[in-house]
Amino acid sequence: MDLFIRKDNKAASTVLRPVAALVCCAIMLSSCGGREAHPVASTSAGDSGIDCSGISREFAANERQILATVKERSQAQGKNVILGATGVLLFWPALFFMDPKSPEKVEIDALRNRNQVLTDLARSRKCPAPKSQLDEIYKRLDGGVKTAPAKRDS
């Protein structure tokens, strides 16, 4: 009781400082749990001026980015499993570091949509259609079901 009776309020402020610091740290650390998605647009203003080689170069670059993002997604899922198990069994604050948003999936879907637009653009310009090297990865991402791209009536 002697702690809160002092008239100069020094004892009350020494109790509140560590609590306030702990709350601030918890708020800052909880924001470290994930990142925002940065999807690419499916169409671009420069699409009208792109030639056949530009289409194939961008298609290949998108597939390289998909590979990198799939690897990042795999690592994030592994990290989430470890953090979830640690949070449930040992140290519950570890749950703050999990990333429930899965921004990688949004980015992969956006890159796949962009590649579909590039394939349609190549077809309309009578260019050779770019071939995907990631069919097996796409099957895994789709849950083993391969979907054919939508056909457009020209």
Side-chain angles (χ1 to χ4, degrees), residues 26-95:
I27 290 171
M28 286 190 305
L29 289 176
S30 68
S31 67
C32 296
R35 67 173 181 84
E36 292 295 319
H38 302 289
V40 298
S42 59
T43 59
S44 172
D47 284 350
S48 61
I50 194 169
D51 60 350
C52 293
S53 62
I55 290 171
S56 62
R57 278 194 309 269
E58 187 175 346
F59 190 92
N62 287 347
E63 288 211 328
R64 285 191 302 273
Q65 183 62 38
I66 287 171
L67 276 175
T69 308
V70 165
K71 185 182 283 188
E72 180 184 349
R73 182 179 183 201
S74 172
Q75 291 171 345
Q77 287 174 336
K79 181 183 129 188
N80 279 345
V81 168
I82 291 170
L83 287 173
T86 302
V88 168
L89 298 175
L90 298 174
F91 188 65
W92 68 265
L95 297 173

Side-chain angles (χ1 to χ4, degrees), residues 104-120:
E104 299 88 6
K105 179 170 178 15
V106 172
E107 292 172 358
I108 291 169
D109 290 342
L111 287 165
R112 288 178 73 182
N113 289 336
R114 176 65 181 156
N115 278 354
Q116 184 60 46
V117 168
L118 290 172
T119 301
D120 293 342

Side-chain angles (χ1 to χ4, degrees), residues 10-26:
K10 286 185 181 179
S13 66
T14 58
V15 171
L16 292 179
R17 266 193 199 141
V19 172
L22 183 64
V23 169
C24 288
C25 287

